[in-house]
Amino acid sequence: MARLWLCAAGAACLLALLVLHSRFCGSPVLSEFGLQISWRTEEILYRLDVGWPKHSEYFTGTTFCVAVDSLNGLVYVAQRGDNIQKVLVFTEDGYFLRAWNYTVDTPHGMFAASTLHEQSVWITDVGNGAYGHTIKKYNSFGDLVQILGTPGKKGTGLNPLQFDNPAELYVEDTGDIYIVDGDGGLNNRLIKLSQDFMMLWLHGENGTGPAKFNTPHSVTVDSAGQVWVADRGNKRIQVFDKDTGEWLGAWNNCFTEEGPSSVRFTPDGNYLIVAQLNLSRLLFVAAPPVGSIGYCSVISTIQLADQILMEPCHIVVFQIILPLPSASLPLSPSFPVNCVAHEKS
């Protein structure tokens, strides 16, 4: 019996030595024996920078969304609350520049859409005040440039255009706009507008089938011209052709615990970042081959601190974090954010 145990121990030691040698020296021995050892180490794609922003005292409300204007080096942050500045503007290094509050009621989503000749940011407003249920364009100093929707009046109309709790938008370089309208309101629709605000196509029915939605909460566009929509209530991401609006497919398998709240591609296009609101979690999903929707494969995750769940807002995501080893902007419990940051080069 003792000899049997001795042989077993020797075999175990030999196997351990072979594994270590294969791991660190690249030995083909294990392959020759037909054994395969899986070393699954989650790749660290991002890090948190606790030094951003330089001064956190400007955050006096409930922080809700963030947008990055990489062309001009600006970061916009929107917060909710009474008698506070709703929009804060920082440099990418975290230095405070200015704040403004004009015509902003209850911000929900933001998108920075600047050009060489114009610094601008769009805000979706889900408030019930005089400027609520609209999507508004501002310059960097808070001057109101454009209003989409019927200010202060929610609805389902298309002429004139009405919104009810518009969640988010994405603006292409061409000026075309993609809007997800229906964060718990009357509408569950995806709208594409031209640069002169003419409707190009629309998917707008509540349901679980293809091209139907249950709380469409976020939208983004990839380099191949595919529109990705976080269909939060249906726990999936749906994909459409940006030119025709044709439904291309859906990702269902990654979101069994909770549906996606925000979607954004990394600047290099290698990953789709997905925020899961109530789980306080970010998923880094491998982007599909160009021109295909592929399938959902989670490469890495970021789990936020438990105490962030106590915030009264839609918690989540991260302020702005860049791929290692680049310098990054931070996530801190004092600065929870609802929207995934827009792409930053």
Side-chain angles (χ1 to χ4, degrees):
M1 189 67 181
R3 181 176 297 177
L4 178 62
W5 282 107
L6 183 62
C7 291
C13 290
L14 178 59
L15 180 60
L17 288 173
L18 288 174
V19 169
L20 290 174
H21 192 267
S22 175
R23 172 66 170 167
F24 296 107
C25 302
S27 172
V29 174
L30 288 180
S31 299
E32 294 177 1
F33 278 95
L35 298 176
Q36 184 176 2
I37 306 297
S38 175
W39 299 86
R40 298 191 61 183
T41 303
E42 184 174 278
E43 183 180 359
I44 300 176
L45 302 173
Y46 289 76
R47 65 175 177 177
L48 304 180
D49 181 353
V50 296
W52 197 103
K54 303 302 181 182
H55 302 281
S56 61
E57 64 268 18
Y58 297 103
F59 299 103
T60 55
T62 301
T63 312
F64 232 78
C65 48
V66 58
V68 178
D69 175 2
S70 57
L71 187 63
N72 296 292
L74 300 176
V75 180
Y76 298 89
V77 180
Q79 57 182 354
R80 296 183 184 180
D82 297 326
N83 302 315
I84 64 170
Q85 297 293 327
K86 299 292 179 62
V87 180
L88 310 176
V89 186
F90 295 85
T91 68
E92 288 184 339
D93 294 329
Y95 291 100
F96 176 77
L97 293 177
R98 52 188 168 271
W100 40 270
N101 192 35
Y102 178 58
T103 72
V104 182
D105 187 353
T106 307
H108 187 280
M110 301 181 79
F111 192 92
S114 291
T115 68
L116 292 174
H117 308 290
E118 179 186 47
Q119 296 179 4
S120 63
V121 61
W122 290 83
I123 299 176
T124 65
D125 197 324
V126 298
N128 292 312
Y131 288 90
H133 301 291
T134 58
I135 299 174
K136 291 165 287 192
K137 178 183 179 181
Y138 298 87
N139 66 22
S140 178
F141 292 89
D143 298 321
L144 183 60
V145 177
Q146 181 71 45
I147 300 177
L148 302 181
T150 306
K153 186 177 181 180
K154 61 184 178 181
T156 62
L158 298 177
N159 188 20
L161 185 61
Q162 293 178 305
F163 301 111
D164 185 9
N165 292 348
E168 197 187 63
L169 77 161
Y170 185 97
V171 183
E172 287 195 282
D173 292 340
T174 60
D176 290 348
I177 302 173
Y178 304 83
I179 300 166
V180 280
D181 176 30
D183 183 27
L186 298 169
N187 304 319
N188 282 276
R189 59 192 185 183
L190 167 65
I191 300 171
K192 180 179 181 179
L193 302 179
S194 66
Q195 60 182 336
D196 54 357
F197 313 120
M198 300 296 292
M199 185 169 298
L200 298 177
W201 51 258
L202 163 72
H203 290 292
E205 187 175 349
N206 188 4
T208 59
K212 298 181 180 180
F213 302 102
N214 179 2
T215 313
H217 204 260
S218 181
V219 59
T220 193
V221 180
D222 67 19
S223 60
Q226 299 178 137
V227 182
W228 299 70
V229 178
D231 187 6
R232 188 171 73 179
N234 286 325
K235 296 184 177 181
R236 64 185 180 182
I237 292 176
Q238 297 198 66
V239 189
F240 302 84
D241 181 273
K242 78 169 188 177
D243 294 322
T244 65
E246 177 188 0
W247 184 80
L248 301 177
W251 282 0
N252 301 285
N253 60 306
C254 284
F255 315 110
T256 55
E257 291 183 86
E258 184 186 351
S261 289
S262 280
V263 288
R264 280 293 181 271
F265 283 94
T266 54
D268 57 15
N270 290 335
Y271 303 97
L272 181 67
I273 305 176
V274 180
Q276 292 180 299
L277 183 81
N278 295 313
L279 296 178
S280 290
R281 183 169 66 189
L282 292 179
L283 304 180
F284 292 81
V285 182
V290 176
S292 167
I293 69 167
Y295 62 93
C296 186
S297 177
V298 177
I299 303 301
S300 182
T301 62
I302 292 180
Q303 182 64 54
L304 302 187
D306 292 340
Q307 61 264 34
I308 294 181
L309 290 172
M310 301 304 293
E311 294 289 339
C313 68
H314 288 163
I315 301 308
V316 213
V317 198
F318 60 132
Q319 297 172 340
I320 302 153
I321 44 184
L322 303 179
L324 289 170
S326 302
S328 56
L329 305 181
L331 167 71
S332 66
S334 63
F335 188 14
V337 178
N338 179 16
C339 315
V340 172
H342 295 288
E343 290 89 342
K344 180 181 185 302
S345 58

